[in-house]
Amino acid sequence: MSTKHRKREDAAKIRSNSAASSEKGKPQAEIQHARTQQDAQDGQAAHDKENGTKDRNAVTSSPSRAPTLPKTQEIRSTQHTSSTRDKLVGQAANGSIQLHKDRVDPETLRIQYWRQRRKVFLRHISRKYMRQARQDSQRTMRRFWVVLGSVVAALLVIFLSVSGTGAYLTYQFYSDTQSKYVPRVVNLRDLLPRDNLKVYDSKGVIIGQLTDQGMHTAVQLQDVSQDLQNATVAIEDKNFWTNPGIDIPRIIQAAISDLSHGRVVEGGSTITQQLIKRLVVGNQTSLIRKLEEVMLTPSVNSQYTKRDILEMYLNSIFYGEQAYGVDAAATVFFGLQDKPGKPASSQLDLAQAAMLAGLPQSPYSYDPRIYPEAAQARFEQVLSAMYTQGYITNAQRLDALKEGQSSHFFKRPDLTNRAPHFFNFVLRQLEQEYHLKRNQLSRSDMQVYTTLDIGLQDKILQIARNHIDQIRDTNHVTNAAEVLIDFHTGAIRSLLGSIDYNDESIDGQFDVATQAYRQPGSSYKPFVYVTAFKEGSSPAQAIDDASLTINLPGSNPPTFTPHNYDMKYHGHMTLRCALQNSLNIPAVKVLQHAGIAASMQTAHDMGVSSYEGTPGYSLVLGGLGVRLIDETSAYGTFANGGVHVPYYAIQKIVFANTHNTIEHAANPGKRAISKQLAYMMTSVLSDNDSRLPEFFDCNVLQLYSNSQQECRLGDRGTVRPSAAKTGTTTDFRDNWTLGYTTDYVLGVWAGNDDNTPMSNVTGVDGAGPLWHDAMLEAEQGHPIRNFTNPGGLERATVTYADGVTTTDWFMPGTEPKFTPNLQPTPNGTDDQDTSLLPDLLDVNSTSSQQAQFQQFNAKVPGPYCPSSYSFAFPPPGGSSSGSDGWW
């Protein structure tokens, strides 16, 4: 007979014997009643199937839900039952199955079909669990013989120790064991499991952690609930506090108990021995390993106190469900969270402690979520041991039992990553700094304390989501990102890479703030303007917003012609007016004077450390791709008086086992521009009146405390000084607003991750409102302070040769001097008599001359920015060069 057939016969015998033994000793009437009840259940199953209410995977004869079959087994089962059904139908057709003479009963056929299918399914399940039972039995027997052998060996060692030869052999084994393992014993704490990496915000609130290799948090014994300590000692080693690390009476008692049951029901290892097994000699099931464990126990007892041993044990033991150590177990099974000064392990009550104390003996078999009945029995066993040994009263035991039966006793931990983009940003920095891979960081023992304010970020996130919800449908804007930095130190206080990390429709997991190179639009202009200031110009510089075409030999196209957003020209004005209204043509002219290379260098020095694209005249319009975090940091250089302090996210790293700490070293920064230049730019970007022609009053770049509606009704509330600039790409694919106060710099981006264009939305409508509300939220509780003039600047009133008159800031010695030299204009006004204008401008001119001047002045155009400049006389018409004093 083949082995295959012999195995089938053996399995059949086992099933037959099992069925027979289950009925043996029962009254015949009871057996008949059970069978009748089974048939009724089978009939009900068929009836339920007919009405579509029966779950295909349910087995009605079992009080618990049958395990779900693997896909391949389910296919085979389905194929088998299909053939069975066909066979039954065929038998019915051939008359093999006796039906009623007058009609064929389909109900009977269905009952027999489902009964047959149930038998096939139960046969498969029984085979599976029989195999599992054999394996468990083999493991149990191995453990049984090892324990028994250990007892005999221990007694043998004691006996031989008193004889000469035995003493020598014992000493030799002892010496070998000591030389092999003592170095590990001396450094036992270094062998404890490493903590999984955890990331905290600036206030100690956990943001997220790496759990792919389990959870572990080392705690001191004083931070472990006393109930948990007592429960562990009571069930694992009741003589722990008094035994020398080996409990011979307990070993003998355990051996007798195991012999009487024919299996391992009670362990003889003390907590000390278990610690040695786990950390030193390993858990291999062998007699030699057990003897080594015994030999090392005196060394451990001499090196460490009982409290040390219990602490290391509780920090190293596995509790199941990826929980290593008692603190992780408190979180995994009861949802308790570590709090500053109050670890989860210290929050355990009696019932929770008793449940956890019972798990280490067999974490899988006693897992309350998989085997609740076994876990409950073990729970009661622990409480009984605690009561018997005097740790608790009977009333406490009963109360704990009642709590353990509550439906809310177990709680899933909240392992939500509260700041996923920032968390991943920190991990990337750790990978680069320590040259570690992500899986190496998982159990690196690192506790990473960051600069983030998670409470503030949660509020900013809600602001961003609310704003995008308002414009999503009307303007096709689906996403936003932001970065908030304390520019004094470079500390990142908030970082959102998207408005929803888990929303695949917006590509939410992609970090726009730190990884995307997006075009910044006009928000790049201040770097070009401040380069011009550095070269001797000022916010007062006169410039002509007129048609401009730049020849680009060898390029395609060969010319570059910029246009303003409104496709209009606004005539002569100042740089202050041009920048605040985000006019493109004057910006390109400024770039011509400042130079492309010099402007790029300024941006780099201030913090725009990388970019995508080719620098050209379009860069002042946002033609290059830059990262939001870089440009935000660069704006912080303006706010910090021209000193660039690099941004950072990690404040300190504490290694849990050694308590070694690596602190972030304060960075004084590096000067990128002078504090005078920084203040000149701040005075422009904070000038709300100068931006009114384009942005109107009550625009969101002004930080008024009341609502925009209240502002428009005349009640702004408190206004906090701020400097800001928007940016919008020509095709509405990117929307930026960046700005700063005396405390923070904030950058905001709005748009679509797939780079599809938005619908007619500018920076002041898209990113602007989010910037306004987020900055006010960040400033809650901060005193209102104005920007400080550093000194070293001169304020003067200047009339340029084109008639532009303005009062503004100048670097010392750069105030221009002009003598009006008016000529007839070539734009149809050559009949204008200007020959007397120099005399008319003289304060000593006659009344007749003054009248002529008033007549002349009537033809002076109105300035585009009335608050910024005026005209002393009509500007010249047509094109003119910078040699005339204006650009």
Side-chain angles (χ1 to χ4, degrees):
M1 181 182 296
S2 67
T3 302
K4 182 176 181 181
H5 289 121
R6 188 180 297 111
K7 288 184 177 179
R8 290 180 177 175
E9 288 186 2
D10 291 344
K13 287 179 181 180
I14 291 173
R15 290 194 298 275
S16 176
N17 293 337
S18 176
S21 63
S22 66
E23 294 184 353
K24 185 177 181 181
K26 294 184 179 179
Q28 186 64 29
E30 182 179 343
I31 296 173
Q32 183 62 34
H33 173 71
R35 291 175 176 173
T36 303
Q37 186 177 22
Q38 180 63 56
D39 291 340
Q41 291 176 342
D42 292 344
Q44 182 63 38
H47 181 268
D48 291 342
K49 175 64 180 179
E50 176 70 13
N51 290 278
T53 61
K54 182 64 180 169
D55 187 340
R56 288 182 178 271
N57 292 323
V59 180
T60 58
S61 60
S62 174
S64 61
R65 185 179 180 88
T68 303
L69 286 174
K71 188 171 183 180
T72 55
Q73 297 173 352
E74 184 178 345
I75 292 173
R76 288 197 295 269
S77 177
T78 303
Q79 292 172 345
H80 185 85
T81 52
S82 297
S83 63
T84 303
R85 180 179 56 201
D86 295 341
K87 182 178 179 181
L88 290 173
V89 173
Q91 291 173 348
N94 296 328
S96 304
I97 298 177
Q98 296 298 319
L99 301 176
H100 196 278
K101 292 182 179 180
D102 298 331
R103 62 184 179 84
V104 177
D105 187 0
E107 185 67 23
T108 302
L109 183 61
R110 282 192 294 270
I111 291 173
Q112 292 182 354
Y113 161 67
W114 284 108
R115 184 177 295 172
Q116 181 67 21
R117 182 178 179 184
R118 186 181 69 83
K119 289 180 179 179
V120 172
F121 178 74
L122 289 177
R123 186 181 301 118
H124 166 75
I125 294 298
S126 65
R127 286 175 177 173
K128 174 182 176 181
Y129 283 99
M130 285 168 60
R131 288 193 299 270
Q132 183 66 41
R134 284 196 297 271
Q135 295 172 357
D136 291 343
S137 176
Q138 292 171 357
R139 284 194 295 268
T140 301
M141 289 307 297
R142 282 197 299 270
R143 290 181 58 198
F144 168 72
W145 287 113
V146 167
V147 171
L148 184 60
S150 300
V151 173
V152 174
L155 295 174
L156 184 62
V157 166
I158 295 173
F159 174 75
L160 292 177
S161 296
V162 300
S163 65
T165 303
Y168 173 76
L169 294 176
T170 301
Y171 175 77
Q172 188 65 39
F173 183 79
Y174 174 81
S175 299
D176 292 344
T177 302
Q178 291 291 312
S179 61
K180 181 178 179 181
Y181 291 115
V182 162
R184 296 173 66 87
V185 170
V186 172
N187 299 296
L188 203 57
R189 289 190 181 276
D190 294 338
L191 304 178
L192 291 170
R194 293 291 177 259
D195 280 13
N196 63 303
L197 182 142
K198 302 174 186 67
V199 178
Y200 301 87
D201 84 337
S202 58
K203 299 178 181 177
V205 178
I206 190 165
I207 298 170
Q209 53 185 315
L210 291 177
T211 60
D212 57 300
Q213 297 182 35
M215 296 176 58
H216 183 273
T217 302
V219 290
Q220 295 180 348
L221 190 62
Q222 65 189 29
D223 292 326
V224 177
S225 161
Q226 188 62 50
D227 286 330
L228 192 280
Q229 297 180 43
N230 295 339
T232 300
V233 170
I235 198 64
E236 290 292 340
D237 186 2
K238 64 181 180 180
N239 299 318
F240 169 74
W241 297 109
T242 57
N243 66 43
I246 302 175
D247 195 340
I248 298 297
R250 184 164 181 260
I251 292 177
I252 297 174
Q253 179 184 351
I256 295 173
S257 180
D258 293 344
L259 284 171
S260 63
H261 287 82
R263 58 188 177 87
V264 176
V265 295
E266 184 178 346
S269 296
T270 63
I271 286 177
T272 306
Q273 289 176 270
Q274 293 181 54
L275 181 66
I276 294 171
K277 177 179 70 174
R278 177 164 293 275
L279 298 183
V280 181
V281 300
N283 58 1
Q284 181 183 1
T285 305
S286 71
L287 184 59
I288 296 298
R289 193 272 302 164
K290 195 70 177 178
L291 291 175
E292 289 174 339
E293 182 183 298
V294 172
M295 291 296 181
L296 291 173
T297 301
S299 297
V300 173
N301 273 338
S302 65
Q303 291 282 339
Y304 304 98
T305 67
K306 287 288 187 179
R307 289 184 61 83
D308 291 336
I309 292 171
L310 183 59
E311 177 184 305
M312 288 187 286
Y313 173 81
L314 292 175
N315 276 312
S316 63
I317 204 72
F318 179 58
Y319 286 86
E321 296 201 14
Q322 294 295 295
Y324 294 84
V326 63
D327 192 75
T331 299
V332 168
F333 290 97
F334 300 110
L336 301 174
Q337 297 290 338
D338 290 334
K339 300 175 182 177
K342 194 174 184 181
S345 57
S346 68
Q347 304 171 37
L348 293 165
D349 62 21
L350 174 60
Q352 294 167 335
M355 178 59 73
L356 291 185
L359 298 181
Q361 186 182 82
S362 183
Y364 180 76
S365 300
Y366 292 137
D367 189 323
R369 295 187 176 115
I370 302 176
Y371 301 108
E373 293 181 358
Q376 181 67 22
R378 180 66 171 169
F379 170 57
E380 294 175 3
Q381 183 183 1
V382 174
L383 287 173
S384 295
M386 295 183 72
Y387 170 63
T388 302
Q389 296 172 36
Y391 287 111
I392 58 174
T393 65
N394 192 48
Q396 290 176 306
R397 181 181 70 86
L398 294 176
D399 287 343
L401 284 172
K402 182 178 180 181
E403 180 185 343
Q405 294 169 355
S406 168
S407 59
H408 303 293
F409 184 52
F410 298 103
K411 296 181 180 64
R412 291 283 182 184
D414 182 9
L415 299 178
T416 303
N417 192 322
R418 295 183 63 182
H421 292 109
F422 180 80
F423 181 81
N424 289 328
F425 177 70
V426 168
L427 292 185
R428 290 195 297 271
Q429 290 193 332
L430 291 173
E431 289 171 340
Q432 295 172 4
E433 180 71 21
Y434 294 96
H435 306 288
L436 297 174
K437 296 180 180 179
R438 189 68 56 96
N439 64 334
Q440 293 173 310
L441 286 172
S442 292
R443 296 297 287 271
S444 61
D445 219 31
M446 291 183 181
Q447 297 173 348
V448 184
Y449 293 87
T450 69
T451 61
L452 194 75
D453 184 339
I454 189 61
L456 173 60
Q457 176 163 296
D458 286 345
K459 294 176 182 178
I460 294 177
L461 175 60
Q462 194 58 51
I463 290 171
R465 287 176 173 174
N466 292 342
H467 178 60
I468 296 301
D469 283 344
Q470 294 172 3
I471 63 175
R472 176 180 283 107
D473 295 333
T474 56
N475 300 102
H476 183 54
V477 185
T478 61
N479 202 8
E482 66 83 30
V483 180
L484 178 72
I485 300 175
D486 180 349
F487 55 80
H488 305 94
T489 63
I492 300 173
R493 297 304 183 195
S494 175
L495 189 153
L496 296 174
S498 74
I499 60 172
D500 191 344
Y501 184 83
N502 298 311
D503 189 345
E504 294 183 0
S505 67
I506 63 171
D507 194 19
Q509 293 191 12
F510 182 69
D511 185 355
V512 179
T514 68
Q515 294 182 300
Y517 286 87
R518 309 288 303 212
Q519 292 189 353
S522 294
S523 67
Y524 198 87
K525 288 174 180 172
F527 306 121
V528 177
Y529 276 71
V530 80
T531 304
F533 296 168
K534 189 183 345 182
E535 295 174 356
S537 68
S538 77
Q541 173 63 49
I543 193 167
D544 187 14
D545 177 20
S547 176
L548 175 67
T549 297
I550 301 175
N551 292 321
L552 302 173
S555 298
N556 186 18
T559 60
F560 173 67
T561 303
H563 299 280
N564 291 325
Y565 170 75
D566 59 3
M567 303 303 290
K568 297 178 181 179
Y569 306 116
H570 304 283
H572 290 256
M573 61 181 62
T574 61
L575 295 191
R576 177 183 291 270
C577 175
L579 178 57
Q580 281 298 78
N581 291 278
S582 207
L583 299 176
N584 292 335
I585 296 173
V588 174
K589 289 186 175 183
V590 174
L591 180 58
Q592 285 182 300
H593 285 269
I596 294 174
S599 298
M600 290 292 295
Q601 187 62 50
T602 298
H604 180 273
D605 293 344
M606 293 182 67
V608 183
S609 57
S610 62
Y611 63 89
E612 286 185 351
T614 302
Y617 285 111
S618 65
L619 75 85
V620 75
L621 311 181
L624 297 177
V626 299
R627 300 190 304 170
L628 177 63
I629 191 171
D630 291 338
E631 187 162 293
T632 303
S633 178
Y635 267 68
T637 305
F638 288 129
N640 199 37
V643 175
H644 174 61
V645 180
Y647 57 80
Y648 73 100
I650 300 173
Q651 192 65 50
K652 68 177 180 179
I653 299 173
V654 178
F655 291 90
N657 187 44
T658 63
H659 302 291
N660 289 339
T661 301
I662 301 175
E663 293 270 3
H664 170 77
N667 190 334
K670 182 179 180 181
R671 180 161 298 283
I673 56 176
S674 71
K675 52 188 176 182
Q676 289 77 20
L677 292 173
Y679 180 76
M680 288 171 70
M681 181 53 66
T682 297
S683 76
V684 174
L685 297 180
S686 62
D687 185 354
N688 188 62
D689 290 338
S690 290
R691 67 166 67 101
L692 295 183
E694 182 67 28
F695 294 91
F696 307 106
D697 199 11
C698 294
N699 61 76
V700 293
L701 302 184
Q702 188 181 39
L703 293 179
Y704 42 83
S705 59
N706 289 345
S707 68
Q708 191 173 52
Q709 183 64 30
E710 290 173 317
C711 178
R712 287 169 178 166
L713 293 175
D715 185 9
R716 298 176 189 269
T718 303
V719 178
R720 182 181 292 271
S722 62
K725 184 73 187 73
T726 62
T728 305
T729 55
T730 305
D731 50 9
F732 297 106
R733 296 182 191 274
D734 296 281
N735 216 239
W736 299 58
T737 297
L738 298 101
Y740 49 91
T741 62
T742 56
D743 300 302
Y744 298 114
V745 58
L746 173 64
V748 175
W749 170 89
N752 302 303
D753 272 25
D754 60 6
N755 210 35
T756 55
M758 297 171 283
S759 177
N760 195 32
V761 58
T762 63
V764 75
D765 302 316
L770 200 166
W771 179 88
H772 176 274
D773 293 349
M775 185 63 92
L776 286 179
E777 187 64 51
E779 286 288 0
Q780 289 291 324
H782 289 263
I784 296 177
R785 294 187 294 263
N786 208 338
F787 299 109
T788 303
N789 186 335
L793 291 170
E794 296 177 352
R795 190 165 180 82
T797 300
V798 176
T799 298
Y800 286 83
D802 61 350
V804 170
T805 298
T806 183
T807 301
D808 219 316
W809 297 105
F810 296 87
M811 293 293 288
T814 62
E815 177 188 346
K817 306 293 183 181
F818 294 103
T819 300
N821 182 23
L822 301 179
Q823 300 295 330
T825 59
N827 58 353
T829 61
D830 52 345
D831 57 336
Q832 193 171 11
D833 184 6
T834 61
S835 60
L836 296 177
L837 185 57
D839 294 330
L840 297 176
L841 293 176
D842 194 320
V843 295
N844 298 318
S845 58
T846 65
S847 58
S848 175
Q849 290 172 327
Q850 290 291 347
Q852 293 182 36
F853 176 74
Q854 291 175 2
Q855 190 178 36
F856 178 85
N857 195 47
K859 297 182 179 181
V860 174
Y864 184 62
C865 299
S867 66
S868 174
Y869 66 96
S870 61
F871 287 105
F873 44 83
S879 61
S880 53
S881 66
S883 60
D884 297 320
W886 66 89
W887 294 354

